Amino acid sequence: MNGNARLEMRFQVNGNDFIQAGEASSKIKRTLQQIGIDSRVIRRVVISSYEAEMNITIHAYRGEILFTIWPNLIQIVAQDEGPGISDLEAAMQEGYSTAPENVRQMGFGAGMGLPNMKKNTDEMQIETEEGRGTRITMKIYL
Amino acid sequence: MTLSEIVRQLDLKVLTFMPENDLEVRYGYASDLLSDVLGQAPPGALWVTLQCHPNVIAIASLLDLSAVLLVGGILPDQATLERGQETGVTILSTELPTFEIVGRLYQLGLRGSTRSCLDG
Ligand SMILES: Nc1ncnc2c1ncn2[C@@H]1O[C@H](COP(=O)(O)OP(=O)(O)OP(=O)(O)O)[C@@H](O)[C@H]1O
Ligand SMILES: [Mg+2]
């Protein structure tokens, strides 16, 4: 599938770095605007990638966002080294959050990030291992 | 109602700059939970919040919100202002608390979501 990819981008995301957080998503947005993708699709992509980026920033140690666009598909892979998600079913519920207090004070930790990602993508697959990390693969069809 | 008209009518402080071309603002969204805004704020909405840090500006920029309106006289720190300048996000401020300012925005004709607008 990589053979005919129109474009691939890779971004490092560091745990706890709230200054850099969001950079990957804003670069992805700019790229999608430049190649003329529909603004409603751009919105779904950036919401999903931003939530994934923030989850690495808040919950993991380090990770990366891999963004690929094919003629009829956009894929975002967010993978990290981190604690993993111990109760995936709970994590997918709106309102479930283990975000620490200092992060909640910033307005994160509503427990709506994963549900937002699910709602804004056509497919979402989560692989996670406790103590190792998490990989989330999201697809949006064009 | 245009953004500059809203600023004038409600006597809002402009902390960064107004957009070069005045914007028509039809929707507003009031929330201090960032994922709630990401999930629910209508495109082009005016975001009313007391959250004030660079990530707020990043979200407003990603979602193409018309402006961030800080309530209760909150003033952003330098990093937040700079992020606003860099990304072209208009940051506004009012002395009024959330309930008061949202009521006034509603009176000026702003609505909370596409649906409530369609419902009339
Ligand atoms: N990459 C990750 N690594 C480890 N745990 C995670 C990761 N992503 C999510 N989680 C767990 O799943 C929970 C729910 O995630 P979700 O994004 O829905 O909410 P949140 O990040 O806590 O708050 P919000 O996204 O609303 O700011 C998190 O609180 C955390 O326990
Ligand atoms: Mg989250």
Side-chain angles (χ1 to χ4, degrees):
Chain A
M1 196 142 90
N2 271 356
N4 61 353
R6 244 165 103 183
L7 196 102
E8 271 179 312
M9 295 195 285
R10 181 186 294 261
F11 305 94
Q12 300 300 316
V13 180
N14 297 314
N16 242 335
D17 184 349
F18 286 87
I19 300 297
Q20 176 219 36
E23 235 172 63
S25 303
S26 84
K27 285 182 180 151
I28 288 170
K29 180 184 174 191
R30 214 170 309 143
T31 303
L32 292 175
Q33 282 174 328
Q34 276 161 6
I35 60 178
I37 299 294
D38 183 276
S39 65
R40 282 162 300 188
V41 173
I42 296 181
R43 186 178 159 87
R44 292 168 60 206
V45 171
V46 298
I47 289 170
S48 306
S49 70
Y50 185 81
E51 293 285 13
E53 216 181 329
M54 288 321 302
N55 277 357
I56 296 174
T57 307
I58 294 167
H59 306 293
Y61 314 136
R62 70 188 65 79
E64 58 182 4
I65 304 281
L66 306 171
F67 172 82
T68 317
I69 176 165
W70 287 275
N72 52 6
L73 173 70
I74 288 173
Q75 178 176 274
I76 306 156
V77 178
Q79 51 191 20
D80 65 62
E81 291 167 38
I85 304 175
S86 54
D87 188 344
L88 195 52
E89 205 181 315
M92 287 307 297
Q93 305 296 317
E94 282 193 16
Y96 176 90
S97 176
T98 61
E101 183 53 31
N102 62 320
V103 171
R104 285 177 193 260
Q105 277 173 12
M106 296 170 77
F108 296 105
M112 291 168 76
L114 289 171
N116 275 349
M117 288 151 69
K118 175 111 192 137
K119 263 183 238 162
N120 281 285
T121 55
D122 294 310
E123 278 176 42
M124 174 162 128
Q125 184 199 358
I126 305 181
E127 300 154 86
T128 184
E129 195 179 330
E130 257 191 280
R132 301 285 302 261
T134 301
R135 178 194 290 131
I136 304 185
T137 305
M138 293 174 278
K139 293 186 171 144
I140 290 176
Y141 294 105
L142 296 171
Chain B
M1 172 119 333
T2 67
L3 189 59
S4 65
E5 187 74 352
I6 292 168
V7 166
R8 205 171 51 79
Q9 296 242 8
L10 300 181
D11 198 18
L12 306 176
K13 234 184 266 161
V14 181
L15 302 179
T16 52
F17 44 73
M18 295 294 284
E20 260 175 52
N21 304 310
D22 207 6
L23 297 171
E24 187 67 28
V25 184
R26 297 167 61 198
Y27 305 114
Y29 201 74
S31 178
D32 304 317
L33 292 173
L34 307 185
S35 282
D36 175 43
V37 173
L38 281 156
Q40 305 296 331
L46 178 67
W47 178 11
V48 179
T49 183
L50 47 71
Q51 289 294 349
C52 179
H53 50 79
N55 301 104
V56 169
I57 309 306
I59 289 169
S61 167
L62 281 176
L63 296 180
D64 293 320
L65 300 185
S66 45
V68 175
L69 172 49
L70 302 173
V71 298
I74 293 171
L75 292 175
D77 60 15
Q78 198 55 33
T80 306
L81 279 175
E82 275 168 23
R83 186 65 68 94
Q85 312 275 10
E86 283 162 21
T87 53
V89 171
T90 302
I91 307 176
L92 306 169
S93 155
T94 176
E95 295 294 322
L96 296 175
T98 304
F99 187 88
E100 287 294 327
I101 196 70
V102 167
R104 285 166 209 212
L105 288 165
Y106 198 92
Q107 278 181 331
L108 290 182
L110 269 68
R111 291 297 176 263
S113 74
T114 325
R115 191 175 308 132
S116 73
C117 222
L118 290 176
D119 290 348

